[in-house]
Amino acid sequence: MIRLLLVDDHPIVRDGLRAAFETEPDIDVAGEAANGREGIDRAAALEVDIVLMDLRMPEMDGVTAITALRHSHPHIKVLVLTTFDGDSDVLPAIEAGATGYLLKDAPTDELLRAVRAAAAGEPVLSPSVAGRLMDQVRRPVKAALTDRELQVLALVADGASNRQAAAKLFISEASIKTHLLHIYDKLGVRDRAAAVGEGYRRGLLS
C-alpha cells in the first residue's frame, strides 16, 4: 500500500486529487496539508511514502519543503504537481530532491502511473519538463556571474541607468559598461532588457 500525502493550498485541488486516488486499491491518501510547513509535519507524523507537492504556497513554498524533507526524511519521495514549468521552477525543485515533476493538466492515468513509479524510486517527468531539462543540458555552459555582475544586473532590473548604478556601487560608468558586456556574454544576450529577462528566467533575480 502506497501512503500518500496531498500538499496544495487550494482545497478544491486536494478534493479532486483525493477523488482520483480513492478508488485505487494500492494507494491510500493518508492526509492533506495546505502549505509546505504543514506538509513536512504531516509527512512525518503520518509516515507516508509519497508527498504530492505543489510549489507556490503560503508560509512555506514547495522547494523549501522538499529540501527540508530531503534532509529530515530522505526515504519519503516527493512528486511535484504544479502549473508552472519554467526553468526557475523546475530546476530548483529537481535540485532540491524531487523524485518527479508533473503538471496539473496531466491525465489521471498519468498521475497514477507517476505515483506508483515514484514509490518504486523511479524518476518521473512530464514531457514538457523533460524537454526543458534536455534544453538546459544542451545549452552552452557559460561562466557564472560574479557577485559584482549580479549586483549590476539587479540594479539594471530595478531600472537604474549606468550613471545611477555606478553611483550606487561607487565605481565608474565605464566599469558598469564593462560589467554589462560580461553579463551579456555570459547570458548569451545583446541588451539590457534581454539580460534582465534571462536573469529572471535563470533564477538570478528574485
Side-chain angles (χ1 to χ4, degrees), residues 52-64:
L52 203 57
M53 180 88 71
D54 191 14
L55 285 186
R56 302 189 185 181
M57 298 176 288
E59 294 192 42
M60 181 183 286
D61 64 272
V63 170
T64 303

Side-chain angles (χ1 to χ4, degrees), residues 11 13-14 32 53 55 57 73 79 94 131 149 165 181 201:
V13 172
R14 299 198 303 272
E32 302 178 11
M53 180 88 71
L55 285 186
M57 298 176 288
H73 298 84
L79 186 59
I94 298 299
E149 288 163 356
L181 289 176
R201 194 182 69 79

Side-chain angles (χ1 to χ4, degrees), residues 109-128:
D109 59 344
E110 181 181 333
L111 188 56
L112 294 172
R113 283 196 302 271
V115 168
R116 292 181 176 114
E122 300 171 9
V124 183
L125 296 173
S126 71
S128 65

Side-chain angles (χ1 to χ4, degrees), residues 14-154:
R14 299 198 303 272
D15 288 346
L17 290 172
R18 181 178 283 277
F21 290 115
E22 64 184 1
T23 58
E24 299 302 309
D26 60 333
I27 300 175
D28 172 35
V29 178
E32 302 178 11
N35 59 65
R37 193 178 306 282
E38 285 185 6
I40 293 171
D41 293 340
R42 293 183 183 175
L46 296 171
E47 299 182 342
V48 300
D49 304 299
I50 302 288
V51 176
L52 203 57
M53 180 88 71
D54 191 14
L55 285 186
R56 302 189 185 181
M57 298 176 288
E59 294 192 42
M60 181 183 286
D61 64 272
V63 170
T64 303
I66 293 168
T67 302
L69 278 172
R70 182 75 172 178
H71 285 90
S72 63
H73 298 84
H75 62 285
I76 296 177
K77 306 293 193 302
V78 179
L79 186 59
V80 171
L81 183 66
T82 184
T83 57
F84 306 100
D85 66 349
D87 286 358
S88 60
D89 298 298
V90 176
L91 296 177
I94 298 299
E95 290 169 354
T99 298
Y101 199 111
L102 294 175
L103 301 181
K104 287 183 177 177
D105 60 359
T108 299
D109 59 344
E110 181 181 333
L111 188 56
L112 294 172
R113 283 196 302 271
V115 168
R116 292 181 176 114
E122 300 171 9
V124 183
L125 296 173
S126 71
S128 65
V129 170
R132 281 189 174 276
L133 289 178
M134 289 294 289
D135 289 343
Q136 184 75 14
V137 170
R138 290 169 178 154
R139 191 176 299 148
V141 176
K142 292 287 186 177
L145 298 190
T146 64
D147 289 343
R148 179 64 85 188
E149 288 163 356
L150 287 171
Q151 290 172 337
V152 171
L153 182 61

